[in-house]
Every structure is written in C-alpha cells, then in structure tokens.
Amino acid sequence: MSATTSTRRATNITLPTHLLTEARSLGLNVSQACEQGLVAALAARRRENWLTENSDAIQSWNEHVETHGLPLAEYRAF
C-alpha cells in the first residue's frame, strides 16, 4: 500500500541520538526513511515466513528434480 493512498498515523519511535543527528544534518526525512526501512523489513519477514511455510514443498520439488530432472528438459535449446 502506498503512502499516498493509505491512512497515516502518527507514532513515536526511539532512535540513537547519533543517527538522528546525522540524518538531520544530511537533510534526510527521518519519517520517510523509517517508513522505507519498515517496508523493507516487512518484505524480508514475509519472505522468511513464506520460505518456512513452504519449505517442505520446496524440498520435495528439489528432490523430484534431482531424481527425475527438469520437466520438459528435452525441449531446452541451451
């Protein structure tokens, strides 16, 4: 969901002083940087969860390919 189409809510966060000082001195929008970091952290966690939830299927498929090869491999041109 993009920031322009979602409802926004103010929140308080605690940051190390040296990071906040440097961010301000460089003209960085701290709220935007925190939001981008949170988006990246959420994506990483979703990926980890998906891999965990599907690890049995992934392992099973890998074993199938090791045993039987890739489907349609005979038609590969490379």
Side-chain angles (χ1 to χ4, degrees):
M1 191 176 295
S2 74
T4 58
T5 60
S6 65
T7 303
R8 314 238 355 130
R9 182 174 175 188
T11 188
N12 293 323
I13 59 168
T14 303
L15 299 170
T17 304
H18 71 281
L19 292 178
L20 186 56
T21 302
E22 184 175 5
R24 287 182 175 160
S25 72
L26 294 172
L28 190 65
N29 181 324
V30 175
S31 293
Q32 189 177 46
C34 289
E35 184 175 347
Q36 290 170 350
L38 185 56
V39 167
L42 288 168
R45 181 58 57 93
R46 283 188 205 110
R47 180 181 187 281
E48 290 172 13
N49 289 349
W50 187 91
L51 287 171
T52 299
E53 291 168 6
N54 293 285
S55 64
D56 290 342
I58 294 167
Q59 181 179 354
S60 175
W61 177 249
N62 287 338
E63 289 171 2
H64 176 81
V65 169
E66 284 181 28
T67 303
H68 304 286
L70 291 171
L72 307 175
E74 63 188 273
Y75 302 105
R76 292 174 70 169
F78 53 93

Coordinates of all heavy atoms in Angstrom, one line a residue:
M1 N 0.8 -1.2 0.0 CA 0.0 0.0 0.0 C 0.9 1.2 0.0 O 1.8 1.3 0.8 CB -0.9 0.0 1.3 CG -2.0 1.0 1.2 SD -3.1 0.8 2.7 CE -3.8 -0.8 2.4
S2 N 0.6 2.2 -0.9 CA 1.5 3.3 -1.0 C 1.1 4.4 0.1 O 0.0 4.4 0.6 CB 1.4 3.9 -2.3 OG 0.2 4.6 -2.5
A3 N 2.0 5.2 0.4 CA 1.8 6.2 1.5 C 0.8 7.2 1.0 O 0.1 7.8 1.9 CB 3.1 6.9 1.8
T4 N 0.6 7.4 -0.3 CA -0.3 8.5 -0.7 C -1.8 8.0 -0.7 O -2.7 8.8 -0.6 CB 0.0 8.9 -2.1 OG1 0.0 7.8 -3.0 CG2 1.3 9.6 -2.2
T5 N -2.0 6.6 -0.7 CA -3.4 6.1 -0.7 C -3.8 5.5 0.6 O -4.9 5.1 0.8 CB -3.5 5.0 -1.8 OG1 -2.6 4.0 -1.5 CG2 -3.3 5.6 -3.2
S6 N -2.9 5.4 1.6 CA -3.2 4.8 2.9 C -3.4 5.9 3.9 O -3.0 7.0 3.8 CB -2.1 3.9 3.3 OG -0.9 4.6 3.6
T7 N -4.1 5.5 5.0 CA -4.3 6.4 6.1 C -3.0 6.4 6.9 O -2.4 5.4 7.1 CB -5.5 5.8 7.0 OG1 -6.7 5.7 6.2 CG2 -5.7 6.7 8.2
R8 N -2.7 7.6 7.3 CA -1.4 7.7 8.0 C -1.7 7.9 9.5 O -2.8 8.4 9.9 CB -0.7 8.9 7.5 CG -0.6 9.0 6.0 CD 0.6 9.0 5.2 NE 1.9 9.1 5.7 CZ 2.8 8.3 5.4 NH1 2.6 7.3 4.6 NH2 4.1 8.4 5.8
R9 N -0.8 7.5 10.3 CA -1.0 7.6 11.8 C 0.3 8.0 12.4 O 1.4 7.4 12.1 CB -1.5 6.3 12.4 CG -1.7 6.3 13.8 CD -2.3 5.0 14.3 NE -2.4 5.1 15.8 CZ -2.7 4.1 16.5 NH1 -2.9 2.9 15.9 NH2 -2.8 4.2 17.8
A10 N 0.3 9.0 13.2 CA 1.5 9.4 13.9 C 1.9 8.4 15.0 O 1.0 7.8 15.6 CB 1.2 10.8 14.6
T11 N 3.2 8.2 15.1 CA 3.7 7.3 16.1 C 5.0 7.8 16.7 O 5.7 8.7 16.0 CB 3.9 5.9 15.5 OG1 4.2 5.0 16.6 CG2 4.9 5.9 14.5
N12 N 5.4 7.4 17.8 CA 6.7 7.7 18.4 C 7.7 6.6 18.2 O 7.3 5.4 18.4 CB 6.6 8.1 19.8 CG 5.7 9.3 20.1 OD1 5.8 10.3 19.3 ND2 4.9 9.3 21.1
I13 N 8.9 6.9 17.9 CA 10.0 5.9 17.8 C 11.1 6.4 18.6 O 11.3 7.6 18.8 CB 10.4 5.6 16.4 CG1 10.9 6.8 15.6 CG2 9.2 4.9 15.6 CD1 11.6 6.5 14.3
T14 N 12.0 5.5 19.0 CA 13.2 5.9 19.7 C 14.4 5.5 18.9 O 14.5 4.4 18.4 CB 13.3 5.1 21.1 OG1 12.1 5.4 21.8 CG2 14.5 5.5 21.8
L15 N 15.2 6.5 18.6 CA 16.4 6.3 17.7 C 17.7 6.7 18.5 O 17.6 7.6 19.3 CB 16.3 7.1 16.5 CG 15.1 6.8 15.6 CD1 15.0 7.9 14.5 CD2 15.2 5.5 14.9
P16 N 18.8 6.1 18.2 CA 20.0 6.5 18.8 C 20.3 8.0 18.4 O 20.1 8.4 17.2 CB 21.1 5.6 18.2 CG 20.3 4.4 17.7 CD 19.0 4.9 17.3
T17 N 20.8 8.8 19.3 CA 21.0 10.2 19.1 C 21.9 10.5 17.9 O 21.6 11.3 17.1 CB 21.5 10.8 20.4 OG1 20.6 10.6 21.5 CG2 21.7 12.3 20.2
H18 N 23.0 9.7 17.8 CA 24.0 10.0 16.8 C 23.3 9.7 15.4 O 23.7 10.5 14.4 CB 25.2 9.1 16.9 CG 25.1 7.7 16.7 ND1 24.5 6.8 17.6 CD2 25.4 6.9 15.6 CE1 24.5 5.6 17.1 NE2 25.0 5.6 15.9
L19 N 22.4 8.8 15.2 CA 21.8 8.5 13.9 C 20.8 9.7 13.6 O 20.8 10.1 12.5 CB 21.0 7.2 13.9 CG 21.9 5.9 14.0 CD1 21.0 4.7 14.0 CD2 22.8 5.9 12.9
L20 N 20.1 10.1 14.6 CA 19.1 11.2 14.4 C 19.9 12.5 14.0 O 19.5 13.2 13.1 CB 18.2 11.4 15.6 CG 17.1 12.4 15.5 CD1 16.2 12.0 14.3 CD2 16.3 12.4 16.8
T21 N 20.9 12.8 14.7 CA 21.7 14.0 14.5 C 22.3 13.9 13.0 O 22.2 14.9 12.3 CB 22.9 14.1 15.5 OG1 22.3 14.1 16.8 CG2 23.7 15.3 15.2
E22 N 22.9 12.8 12.7 CA 23.5 12.7 11.3 C 22.4 12.8 10.2 O 22.6 13.5 9.2 CB 24.2 11.4 11.2 CG 25.0 11.3 9.8 CD 25.9 10.1 9.7 OE1 25.9 9.3 10.6 OE2 26.5 10.0 8.6
A23 N 21.3 12.2 10.5 CA 20.2 12.2 9.5 C 19.7 13.7 9.3 O 19.5 14.1 8.1 CB 19.0 11.3 9.9
R24 N 19.5 14.4 10.3 CA 19.1 15.8 10.2 C 20.1 16.6 9.6 O 19.8 17.5 8.8 CB 18.7 16.3 11.6 CG 17.4 15.7 12.1 CD 17.1 16.3 13.5 NE 15.8 15.8 13.9 CZ 15.3 15.8 15.2 NH1 16.1 16.3 16.1 NH2 14.2 15.4 15.5
S25 N 21.4 16.4 9.9 CA 22.5 17.2 9.3 C 22.6 17.0 7.8 O 23.0 17.8 7.1 CB 23.8 16.9 10.0 OG 24.3 15.7 9.6
L26 N 22.2 15.8 7.3 CA 22.2 15.5 5.9 C 20.9 15.8 5.2 O 20.8 15.6 4.0 CB 22.5 14.0 5.7 CG 23.9 13.6 6.2 CD1 24.1 12.1 6.1 CD2 25.0 14.3 5.3
G27 N 20.0 16.4 6.0 CA 18.7 16.7 5.4 C 17.8 15.6 5.0 O 16.9 15.7 4.2
L28 N 18.0 14.5 5.7 CA 17.2 13.3 5.5 C 15.8 13.4 6.1 O 15.7 13.8 7.3 CB 17.9 12.0 6.0 CG 17.4 10.7 5.7 CD1 17.6 10.4 4.2 CD2 18.2 9.6 6.5
N29 N 14.8 13.0 5.5 CA 13.5 12.9 6.0 C 13.4 11.7 6.9 O 13.3 10.6 6.3 CB 12.4 12.9 4.9 CG 11.0 12.9 5.4 OD1 10.7 12.3 6.4 ND2 10.1 13.6 4.7
V30 N 13.4 11.8 8.2 CA 13.5 10.7 9.1 C 12.3 9.8 9.0 O 12.3 8.6 9.0 CB 13.8 11.1 10.5 CG1 13.8 10.0 11.5 CG2 15.1 11.9 10.6
S31 N 11.1 10.4 8.9 CA 9.9 9.7 8.8 C 9.9 8.8 7.6 O 9.5 7.6 7.6 CB 8.7 10.6 8.8 OG 8.5 11.3 10.1
Q32 N 10.3 9.4 6.5 CA 10.3 8.7 5.2 C 11.3 7.5 5.3 O 11.0 6.4 4.8 CB 10.6 9.6 4.1 CG 10.4 9.0 2.7 CD 10.7 10.1 1.6 OE1 11.6 10.8 1.7 NE2 9.8 10.1 0.6
A33 N 12.5 7.8 5.8 CA 13.5 6.8 5.9 C 13.0 5.6 6.8 O 13.2 4.5 6.5 CB 14.8 7.4 6.5
C34 N 12.4 6.0 7.9 CA 11.8 4.9 8.8 C 10.8 4.1 8.1 O 10.7 2.9 8.2 CB 11.3 5.5 10.1 SG 12.5 6.2 11.2
E35 N 9.9 4.8 7.3 CA 8.9 4.1 6.6 C 9.5 3.1 5.5 O 9.1 2.0 5.4 CB 7.9 5.1 5.9 CG 6.8 4.4 5.2 CD 5.8 5.4 4.6 OE1 5.9 6.6 4.9 OE2 5.0 5.0 3.8
Q36 N 10.5 3.6 4.8 CA 11.1 2.8 3.8 C 11.8 1.6 4.5 O 11.8 0.4 4.0 CB 12.2 3.6 3.0 CG 11.5 4.6 2.1 CD 12.5 5.5 1.5 OE1 13.7 5.6 1.9 NE2 12.0 6.3 0.5
G37 N 12.4 1.8 5.6 CA 13.1 0.7 6.4 C 12.1 -0.3 6.8 O 12.3 -1.5 6.8
L38 N 10.9 0.2 7.3 CA 9.8 -0.7 7.8 C 9.3 -1.5 6.6 O 9.0 -2.8 6.7 CB 8.7 0.1 8.5 CG 7.6 -0.8 9.1 CD1 8.2 -1.8 10.1 CD2 6.6 0.2 9.8
V39 N 9.1 -0.9 5.5 CA 8.6 -1.6 4.3 C 9.6 -2.7 3.9 O 9.2 -3.9 3.6 CB 8.4 -0.6 3.1 CG1 8.3 -1.4 1.8 CG2 7.2 0.3 3.3
A40 N 10.9 -2.4 3.9 CA 11.9 -3.5 3.6 C 11.9 -4.6 4.7 O 12.0 -5.8 4.3 CB 13.3 -2.8 3.5
A41 N 11.8 -4.2 5.9 CA 11.8 -5.2 7.0 C 10.6 -6.1 6.9 O 10.7 -7.4 7.1 CB 11.8 -4.6 8.4
L42 N 9.4 -5.5 6.6 CA 8.2 -6.3 6.4 C 8.3 -7.3 5.2 O 7.9 -8.5 5.3 CB 7.0 -5.4 6.2 CG 6.5 -4.7 7.4 CD1 5.5 -3.6 7.0 CD2 5.9 -5.6 8.5
A43 N 8.9 -6.8 4.1 CA 9.1 -7.7 2.9 C 10.0 -8.8 3.3 O 9.8 -10.0 2.9 CB 9.6 -6.9 1.8
A44 N 11.1 -8.6 4.0 CA 12.0 -9.6 4.4 C 11.4 -10.6 5.3 O 11.5 -11.9 5.1 CB 13.2 -9.0 5.1
R45 N 10.6 -10.2 6.2 CA 9.9 -11.1 7.2 C 8.9 -11.9 6.4 O 8.7 -13.1 6.7 CB 9.3 -10.3 8.3 CG 8.5 -11.2 9.4 CD 9.5 -12.2 10.0 NE 10.6 -11.6 10.7 CZ 10.7 -11.2 11.9 NH1 9.6 -11.4 12.7 NH2 11.8 -10.7 12.4
R46 N 8.1 -11.3 5.5 CA 7.1 -12.1 4.7 C 7.8 -13.2 3.9 O 7.3 -14.3 3.8 CB 6.4 -11.1 3.8 CG 5.3 -10.3 4.5 CD 4.4 -9.6 3.4 NE 3.8 -8.4 4.0 CZ 4.2 -7.2 3.7 NH1 5.1 -6.9 2.8 NH2 3.6 -6.2 4.3
R47 N 9.0 -12.8 3.3 CA 9.7 -13.8 2.6 C 10.2 -15.0 3.5 O 10.0 -16.1 3.1 CB 10.9 -13.1 1.9 CG 11.8 -14.1 1.1 CD 13.0 -13.3 0.5 NE 13.7 -14.2 -0.4 CZ 14.6 -15.1 -0.1 NH1 14.9 -15.3 1.2 NH2 15.2 -15.9 -1.0
E48 N 10.7 -14.6 4.6 CA 11.2 -15.7 5.6 C 10.0 -16.6 6.0 O 10.2 -17.8 6.0 CB 11.8 -15.0 6.8 CG 13.1 -14.3 6.6 CD 13.5 -13.5 7.9 OE1 12.9 -13.7 9.0 OE2 14.4 -12.7 7.8
N49 N 8.9 -15.9 6.3 CA 7.7 -16.7 6.7 C 7.2 -17.6 5.5 O 6.9 -18.8 5.7 CB 6.6 -15.8 7.1 CG 6.8 -15.1 8.4 OD1 7.7 -15.5 9.2 ND2 6.0 -14.1 8.7
W50 N 7.2 -17.1 4.3 CA 6.8 -17.9 3.2 C 7.7 -19.1 2.9 O 7.3 -20.2 2.7 CB 6.8 -17.0 1.9 CG 6.2 -17.8 0.7 CD1 4.9 -17.8 0.4 CD2 6.9 -18.6 -0.2 NE1 4.7 -18.6 -0.8 CE2 5.9 -19.1 -1.1 CE3 8.2 -18.9 -0.4 CZ2 6.3 -19.9 -2.2 CZ3 8.6 -19.8 -1.4 CH2 7.6 -20.3 -2.3
L51 N 9.0 -18.8 3.0 CA 10.0 -19.9 2.9 C 9.8 -21.0 3.9 O 9.9 -22.2 3.7 CB 11.4 -19.4 2.8 CG 11.8 -18.6 1.6 CD1 13.2 -17.9 1.8 CD2 11.9 -19.5 0.4
T52 N 9.6 -20.6 5.2 CA 9.4 -21.5 6.3 C 8.1 -22.3 6.0 O 8.1 -23.5 6.2 CB 9.3 -20.8 7.6 OG1 10.6 -20.1 7.8 CG2 9.1 -21.7 8.8
E53 N 7.0 -21.6 5.7 CA 5.8 -22.3 5.5 C 5.8 -23.3 4.3 O 5.1 -24.2 4.3 CB 4.7 -21.3 5.3 CG 4.3 -20.5 6.5 CD 3.5 -19.2 6.2 OE1 3.0 -19.1 5.1 OE2 3.2 -18.5 7.1
N54 N 6.6 -23.0 3.3 CA 6.7 -23.8 2.1 C 7.9 -24.7 2.0 O 8.2 -25.2 0.9 CB 6.5 -22.9 0.9 CG 5.1 -22.3 0.9 OD1 4.2 -22.9 0.5 ND2 5.0 -21.0 1.2
S55 N 8.7 -24.8 3.1 CA 10.0 -25.5 3.0 C 9.8 -27.0 2.6 O 10.6 -27.5 1.9 CB 10.7 -25.3 4.3 OG 10.0 -26.0 5.4
D56 N 8.7 -27.6 3.1 CA 8.5 -29.0 2.8 C 8.2 -29.2 1.3 O 8.8 -30.1 0.6 CB 7.3 -29.6 3.6 CG 7.6 -29.7 5.1 OD1 8.8 -29.7 5.4 OD2 6.7 -29.9 5.8
A57 N 7.4 -28.3 0.7 CA 7.1 -28.4 -0.7 C 8.3 -28.1 -1.5 O 8.6 -28.7 -2.6 CB 6.0 -27.4 -1.1
I58 N 9.1 -27.1 -1.1 CA 10.3 -26.7 -1.9 C 11.3 -27.9 -1.8 O 11.9 -28.3 -2.9 CB 11.0 -25.5 -1.3 CG1 10.1 -24.3 -1.5 CG2 12.4 -25.2 -1.8 CD1 10.4 -23.0 -0.7
Q59 N 11.5 -28.5 -0.7 CA 12.4 -29.7 -0.5 C 11.9 -30.8 -1.4 O 12.7 -31.5 -2.1 CB 12.5 -30.1 0.9 CG 13.5 -31.2 1.1 CD 13.6 -31.6 2.6 OE1 13.1 -31.0 3.5 NE2 14.3 -32.7 2.8
S60 N 10.6 -31.1 -1.4 CA 10.0 -32.2 -2.1 C 10.3 -31.9 -3.6 O 10.6 -32.9 -4.4 CB 8.5 -32.3 -1.9 OG 8.0 -33.3 -2.7
W61 N 10.1 -30.7 -4.1 CA 10.3 -30.4 -5.5 C 11.7 -30.6 -5.9 O 12.1 -31.1 -6.9 CB 9.8 -29.0 -5.8 CG 10.0 -28.7 -7.3 CD1 10.9 -27.7 -7.7 CD2 9.4 -29.2 -8.4 NE1 10.9 -27.7 -9.1 CE2 10.0 -28.6 -9.5 CE3 8.5 -30.2 -8.6 CZ2 9.6 -28.9 -10.8 CZ3 8.1 -30.5 -9.9 CH2 8.7 -29.9 -11.0
N62 N 12.6 -30.1 -5.0 CA 14.1 -30.2 -5.3 C 14.5 -31.7 -5.4 O 15.3 -32.1 -6.3 CB 14.9 -29.5 -4.3 CG 14.8 -28.0 -4.4 OD1 14.5 -27.5 -5.5 ND2 15.1 -27.3 -3.3
E63 N 13.9 -32.5 -4.5 CA 14.2 -33.9 -4.6 C 13.7 -34.6 -5.9 O 14.3 -35.4 -6.5 CB 13.6 -34.6 -3.4 CG 14.4 -34.3 -2.1 CD 13.7 -34.8 -0.8 OE1 12.6 -35.5 -1.0 OE2 14.2 -34.6 0.3
H64 N 12.5 -34.2 -6.3 CA 11.9 -34.7 -7.5 C 12.8 -34.3 -8.7 O 13.0 -35.1 -9.6 CB 10.5 -34.1 -7.7 CG 9.8 -34.5 -9.0 ND1 9.2 -35.7 -9.2 CD2 9.7 -33.8 -10.2 CE1 8.8 -35.8 -10.4 NE2 9.1 -34.6 -11.0
V65 N 13.2 -33.1 -8.8 CA 14.1 -32.6 -9.9 C 15.4 -33.4 -9.9 O 15.9 -33.8 -10.9 CB 14.3 -31.1 -9.8 CG1 15.4 -30.7 -10.8 CG2 13.0 -30.4 -10.1
E66 N 16.0 -33.6 -8.7 CA 17.2 -34.4 -8.6 C 17.0 -35.8 -9.1 O 17.9 -36.3 -9.8 CB 17.7 -34.4 -7.2 CG 18.4 -33.1 -6.7 CD 18.9 -33.2 -5.3 OE1 19.2 -34.3 -4.8 OE2 18.9 -32.1 -4.6
T67 N 15.9 -36.4 -8.8 CA 15.6 -37.8 -9.2 C 15.2 -37.9 -10.7 O 15.7 -38.7 -11.4 CB 14.5 -38.4 -8.3 OG1 14.9 -38.2 -7.0 CG2 14.3 -39.8 -8.7
H68 N 14.4 -37.0 -11.1 CA 13.7 -37.1 -12.4 C 14.2 -36.1 -13.5 O 13.8 -36.1 -14.6 CB 12.2 -37.1 -12.3 CG 11.7 -38.1 -11.4 ND1 11.6 -39.4 -11.7 CD2 11.2 -38.0 -10.1 CE1 11.1 -40.1 -10.7 NE2 10.8 -39.2 -9.7
G69 N 14.9 -35.1 -13.0 CA 15.3 -34.0 -13.9 C 14.2 -33.0 -14.1 O 13.1 -33.1 -13.5
L70 N 14.5 -31.9 -14.8 CA 13.6 -30.9 -15.0 C 12.5 -31.3 -16.0 O 12.8 -32.0 -17.0 CB 14.2 -29.6 -15.6 CG 15.2 -28.9 -14.7 CD1 15.9 -27.8 -15.4 CD2 14.4 -28.3 -13.5
P71 N 11.2 -30.9 -15.7 CA 10.2 -31.2 -16.7 C 10.5 -30.5 -18.0 O 11.0 -29.4 -18.0 CB 8.9 -30.7 -16.1 CG 9.3 -30.4 -14.6 CD 10.7 -30.3 -14.6
L72 N 10.2 -31.1 -19.1 CA 10.4 -30.6 -20.4 C 11.9 -30.3 -20.7 O 12.2 -29.5 -21.7 CB 9.6 -29.3 -20.6 CG 8.1 -29.4 -20.3 CD1 7.4 -28.1 -20.4 CD2 7.4 -30.4 -21.2
A73 N 12.8 -30.9 -20.0 CA 14.2 -30.6 -20.2 C 14.6 -31.0 -21.6 O 15.5 -30.4 -22.2 CB 15.0 -31.4 -19.2
E74 N 14.0 -32.0 -22.2 CA 14.3 -32.5 -23.5 C 14.1 -31.4 -24.6 O 14.6 -31.5 -25.7 CB 13.6 -33.8 -23.9 CG 12.0 -33.6 -23.9 CD 11.3 -34.9 -24.1 OE1 11.1 -35.3 -25.2 OE2 10.9 -35.5 -23.0
Y75 N 13.3 -30.5 -24.3 CA 12.9 -29.4 -25.3 C 13.8 -28.1 -25.1 O 13.6 -27.2 -25.9 CB 11.4 -29.0 -25.2 CG 10.5 -30.2 -25.4 CD1 9.9 -30.8 -24.3 CD2 10.4 -30.7 -26.6 CE1 9.1 -31.9 -24.5 CE2 9.5 -31.8 -26.8 CZ 8.9 -32.4 -25.8 OH 8.1 -33.5 -25.9
R76 N 14.7 -28.1 -24.1 CA 15.5 -27.0 -23.9 C 16.5 -26.8 -25.1 O 17.1 -27.8 -25.6 CB 16.3 -27.1 -22.6 CG 15.4 -27.0 -21.4 CD 16.2 -27.3 -20.1 NE 17.1 -26.2 -19.9 CZ 17.7 -26.1 -18.7 NH1 17.6 -26.9 -17.8 NH2 18.5 -25.0 -18.6
A77 N 16.7 -25.6 -25.5 CA 17.6 -25.3 -26.6 C 19.0 -24.9 -26.2 O 19.8 -24.5 -27.0 CB 17.0 -24.2 -27.5
F78 N 19.2 -24.9 -24.9 CA 20.6 -24.5 -24.4 C 21.1 -25.5 -23.4 O 20.5 -26.4 -23.0 CB 20.5 -23.1 -23.7 CG 19.4 -23.0 -22.6 CD1 19.7 -23.3 -21.3 CD2 18.1 -22.7 -22.9 CE1 18.8 -23.2 -20.3 CE2 17.1 -22.6 -21.9 CZ 17.5 -22.8 -20.6

